[in-house]
Every structure is written in C-alpha cells, then in structure tokens.
C-alpha cells in the first residue's frame, strides 16, 4: 500500500513529537536503566520519568517521554528507579534531633540524611517521640530549611500505669516524667486529644511492657479502647507495641490498625491461625522490625543459637501473616536502634517474602494504610514525584534495596550518593 505524502509527513511529525517533544516548563527528566512503576507491574528497561511542580507528569519507555528541554539530575540517571520508600517505624529521639526549633539546619540535615534520606525514605512514621520537637523538625523540613522525608508522627505514646518498659529506664528523669501513663479513661482521652490537637497523625499504645525479672505491665483494656476510639473518630490510625501474644490480644480488642513489631516474648512465639484470623478481621497491618531482635538479643549477651531461634520465630510470624493476606509495612525502629543500615532487615524479610512483596511493604501497602494511595506509592502521572534510584536491581538481590544512589521527594533531591 502506498500512502500519500501528506500522511507520511503527518506520521513523521507525530513520531517526532512522541520521541523528542518539548517538556513542560520547569520539568525535570530522570532516566532509568530499569523502572519499577509498582510491585504489581512488570519492570521496564530504558525508561524515563518526567516530573514538574513536584508531581509526576509522565513515566514510560524513554522514547515515548517528551523530555526535550527538561532539566536532568546527572548523577541520578541510569539506575533502577522505584517509588519513594516509607519507613513505618522510626524515632526522632536521639540527641542529634533535640532542640529542633533552633538547632543549626546543617546539623539536622546531616542527622536526617544519615538516618533516613540516605536509605531512600521519602515518608517516615515516627512511632513515639517528643511531639513538640518532632513537629518543629517537620515544620523546618516542610519550609525547605533542610532536606528530608515527609514525617508522620504518633507524638507522645501512652504506657500502662506504672508501666514504663525496662529498656527506657535510662532516659533522663525529666523525659521519663513526661511519658503518659494514664490511670483512667479520662486521663487517656485528655492525652490523646492534646497529642492529636498538637499535630500528631496517630496514637501509639504500649499495650504490654517488660518490667524485668519476667514481669510485665498491661494497659487496661478500657483505656486502650477509649484511646483507639477517639483516634478513629478523627479518622486517624492507632499503632501499638505488643511485646507478646497477650499484647496482640489487647490490640485486637482495642481495634489497633498497625502492630509496630512482631513478637519475641516469653509466651507463645508462634502466631496460630485463630490469632491471625482475628488480626485480619481487624484489618491490622504489621511492621516486622526483624533486625531489631538480633540487635537487642546480642546486646543482652544471649548466645547466637538463642538469637537465631528468636529471629527465626519472628520471620515465621511475618510469613504466616503475609501468607494469610495480612498487610505488611516495612520498618526498622531506627532512632531507637543506632545502626541505620536496613540491609539486614531486607535479608531477613526475604526469608518470608518475595522482593516485590518487600517493595509493596515499602510503597503501595503503606500508602494504602495511610489512605494516600491517590497521591503516592506508585510511579504514575499525577502522583507525587517521590522516587528512589538504586545502583542495582533488588529483584536480583534484596540487599540492593539499600544501595541507594539518589532519593527524590516531591521532585527535589534529598540525597545524592557522593561520587566515589
Ligand atoms: Zn520503636
């Protein structure tokens, strides 16, 4: 078939537009050797992502993205690109974050980079801290004074009456005195309301806390329930630290949304099907924090065999919950744990999950849990330009999730690996 010359010219012009059309004003283009737009979509090689005004404008095969005239971020090009990661368990309680309102920005920036941006996190959930300090830190990040992730915070947690966990007893006396240990429903509500009014995005409950010598404190069920109900009434999430299966039972009773650890208590270490069924019926999400256990148990001087057994139990809990269809959210408890490198967390998770399930725990699952799937979690037009560039493909080795070349939040680079 012979086409008229005008049709050929029109096709050529169309092709030119598709291959090398002009990018919108102020756009940036990122080239990817491989692009994962989402855990449930096949990867794409030789791709490009175009973003403008903090939002993704286009993502697809490089030849189809109209990027002429767009800015580039040289050092970030050519890696494996994924949606920005969420770490669903962090704390801003180390001294380097103290006095956040007045502390020199470069000091806070260095702390933020080392703990978070350097590992690809564009959103973090602070699961307990000094609310006023975290809110001040967040305000400075949002004002552009220092680069950092978006911060969702639970602010000040609630503890059982006379139930500060033994591992927090070394905190300064004035900090210990500030921790909420409500004795009544009224006291609990007062704290929850003040915390949420003060800028917290969630309520954190310590439901069962170790007191030493095999003793535990428990939050009264009516207090936990009242705190959870008040939080849910405002459309917000309830996070809980369970310690052991008895703590999970309290969480189920209260309607907790996110368990921030698996369990290695002295009781049952296996989560049996009826327990998992009840957790699922409350639509609970799980943050495994697997690396925390070897870290803590080794520090406590336990022999390697015991450490391996306890860690293996936590891996099995993760496997059982994920296989049953439970939501899993990646989280490491950094800030409490001073070793920030998540490589071991990825390796331990990979004993129970596939690389794409881990990617889901970093991106789509937390976006859904925080009811923000409309704005983040996937790389597609209209979503926030929250991106991670890795040096190598995590589907080949999950340790590559930690080999971060660049972190981009809302179109702005929050971390660039220094040239080696
Ligand atoms: Zn924690």
């Amino acid at each position: 078939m012979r086409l008229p010359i005008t049709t050929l010219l029109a096709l050529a012009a169309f092709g030119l537009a598709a291959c090398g059309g002009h990018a919108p004003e102020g756009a940036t283009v990122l080239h990817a050797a491989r692009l994962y737009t989402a855990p449930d979509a096949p990867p794409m090689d030789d791709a490009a992502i175009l973003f403008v005004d903090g939002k993704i404008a286009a993502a697809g095969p490089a030849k189809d993205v109209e990027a002429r005239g767009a800015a580039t971020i040289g050092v970030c090009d050519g890696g494996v690109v994924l949606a920005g990661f969420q770490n669903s368990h962090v704390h801003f309680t180390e001294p380097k974050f103290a006095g956040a309102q007045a502390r020199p920005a470069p000091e806070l920036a260095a702390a933020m980079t080392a703990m978070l941006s350097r590992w690809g996190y564009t959103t973090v959930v602070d699961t307990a801290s000094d609310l006023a300090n975290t809110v001040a830190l967040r305000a400075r990040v949002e004002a552009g004074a220092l680069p950092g992730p978006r911060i969702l915070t639970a602010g000040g947690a609630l503890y059982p009456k006379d139930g500060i966990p033994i591992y927090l007893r070394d905190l300064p006396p004035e900090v210990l005195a500030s921790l909420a240990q409500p004795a009544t429903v009224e006291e609990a509500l007062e704290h929850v309301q003040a915390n949420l009014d003060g800028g917290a995005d969630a309520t954190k409950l310590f439901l069962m806390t170790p007191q030493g010598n095999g003793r535990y404190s428990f939050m009264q069920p009516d207090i936990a329930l009242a705190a959870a109900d008040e939080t849910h009434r405002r459309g917000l999430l309830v996070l809980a630290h369970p310690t052991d299966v008895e703590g999970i039972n309290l969480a189920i009773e209260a309607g907790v949304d996110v368990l921030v650890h698996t369990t290695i208590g002295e009781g049952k270490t296996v989560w049996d099907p009826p327990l998992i069924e009840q957790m699922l019926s409350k639509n609970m999400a799980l943050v495994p924090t697997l690396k925390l256990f070897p870290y803590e148990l080794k520090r406590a001087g336990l022999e390697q065999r015991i450490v391996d057994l306890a860690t293996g139990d936590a891996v099995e809990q993760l496997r059982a919950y994920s296989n049953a269809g439970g939501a899993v959210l990646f989280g490491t408890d950094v800030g409490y744990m001073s070793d920030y490198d998540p490589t071991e967390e990825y390796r331990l998770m990979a004993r129970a999950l596939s690389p794409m399930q881990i990617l889901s725990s970093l991106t789509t699952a937390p976006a859904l849990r925080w009811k923000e799937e409309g704005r983040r979690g996937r790389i597609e037009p209209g979503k926030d330009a929250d991106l991670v560039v890795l040096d190598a493909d995590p589907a080949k080795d999950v340790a590559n999730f930690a080999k971060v070349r660049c972190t981009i939040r809302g179109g702005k680079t929050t971390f660039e690996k220094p040239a080696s």
Side-chain angles (χ1 to χ4, degrees):
M1 185 179 77
R2 285 187 61 185
L3 291 168
I5 186 77
T6 46
T7 308
L8 289 174
L9 281 173
L11 285 172
F14 177 78
L16 199 68
C19 293
H22 252 289
E25 190 72 22
T28 302
V29 65
L30 176 67
H31 289 280
R34 174 162 281 193
L35 167 66
Y36 286 91
T37 56
D40 53 6
M44 210 183 286
D45 288 345
D46 190 18
I49 304 99
L50 191 73
F51 48 91
V52 58
D53 292 336
K55 299 277 182 194
I56 295 166
K63 64 177 173 50
D64 295 343
V65 173
E66 303 188 355
R68 204 141 51 95
T72 58
I73 332 169
V75 295
C76 303
D77 275 334
V80 177
V81 178
L82 310 94
F85 297 164
Q86 174 168 323
N87 189 327
S88 296
H89 192 149
V90 312
H91 297 280
F92 293 105
T93 40
E94 288 176 286
K96 62 181 88 163
F97 291 110
Q101 190 151 18
R103 202 175 189 101
E107 287 181 34
L108 291 171
M112 198 68 101
T113 300
M115 187 165 94
L116 302 170
S117 303
R118 188 242 168 286
W119 305 107
Y121 312 130
T122 52
T123 303
V124 298
V125 180
D126 155 50
T127 65
S129 65
D130 172 6
L131 178 66
N133 194 66
T134 303
V135 165
L137 180 66
R138 171 166 70 187
R140 291 186 71 187
V141 172
E142 294 312 309
L146 61 127
R150 178 147 166 265
I151 298 171
L152 299 165
T153 180
L158 269 70
Y159 299 85
K161 181 72 187 153
D162 303 319
I164 300 300
I166 189 160
Y167 50 81
L168 294 183
R169 299 262 170 83
D170 294 339
L171 288 173
E174 69 277 12
V175 175
L176 283 176
S178 74
L179 303 180
Q181 304 170 64
T184 63
V185 164
E186 288 69 29
E187 278 179 38
L189 287 177
E190 219 170 281
H191 173 85
V192 168
Q193 286 159 353
N195 194 52
L196 297 176
D197 290 345
D201 307 283
T203 296
K204 165 78 175 287
L205 306 175
F206 280 82
L207 295 171
M208 173 180 183
T209 54
Q211 301 299 311
N213 302 320
R215 289 184 315 110
Y216 293 90
S217 287
F218 295 89
M219 184 170 285
Q220 280 172 235
D222 58 336
I223 288 181
L225 185 63
D229 282 352
E230 175 62 16
T231 310
H232 288 150
R233 199 178 60 75
R234 298 182 184 217
L236 300 173
L237 297 180
V238 181
L239 324 179
H241 181 114
T243 300
D244 207 340
V245 170
E246 289 162 273
I248 300 181
N249 284 326
L250 277 170
I252 291 165
E253 237 177 284
V256 162
D257 304 290
V258 182
L259 277 190
V260 301
H261 295 290
T262 41
T263 59
I264 53 157
E266 290 155 53
K268 276 198 288 186
T269 55
V270 177
W271 292 359
D272 53 25
L275 179 76
I276 287 176
E277 205 48 56
Q278 283 183 292
M279 291 165 69
L280 287 173
S281 76
K282 296 292 175 140
N283 191 25
M284 219 177 253
L286 172 68
V287 186
T289 67
L290 299 174
K291 177 187 163 179
L292 175 69
F293 299 136
Y295 174 87
E296 286 285 76
L297 298 174
K298 269 183 235 165
R299 263 197 336 175
L302 292 177
E303 57 178 298
Q304 190 62 43
R305 191 181 58 86
I306 307 289
V307 174
D308 291 344
L309 278 174
T311 308
D313 286 341
V315 169
E316 288 313 311
Q317 292 162 10
L318 169 60
R319 186 197 313 275
Y321 199 56
S322 175
N323 285 351
V328 175
L329 313 179
F330 174 88
T332 51
D333 211 354
V334 288
Y336 171 72
M337 191 162 59
S338 54
D339 176 0
Y340 300 149
D341 186 343
T343 305
E344 186 62 17
E345 185 69 24
Y346 293 127
R347 287 210 186 286
L348 288 168
M349 287 176 90
R351 285 166 58 179
L353 306 180
S354 71
M356 288 303 109
Q357 285 177 311
I358 296 175
L359 179 59
S360 159
S361 80
L362 287 158
T363 56
T364 46
L368 191 63
R369 177 58 36 157
W370 287 87
K371 305 180 192 91
E372 294 182 339
E373 68 275 22
R375 64 176 277 196
R376 62 187 181 96
R378 294 170 188 272
I379 299 177
E380 55 189 31
K383 296 276 195 295
D384 289 354
D386 289 357
L387 306 165
V388 180
V389 184
L390 303 179
D391 277 333
D393 190 347
K396 296 209 171 78
D397 179 354
V398 293
N400 291 334
F401 276 119
K403 295 189 179 141
V404 175
R405 184 186 297 184
C406 288
T407 306
I408 297 163
R409 180 196 160 206
K412 295 204 170 67
T413 306
T414 55
F415 172 75
E416 257 182 45
K417 192 171 82 172
S420 52

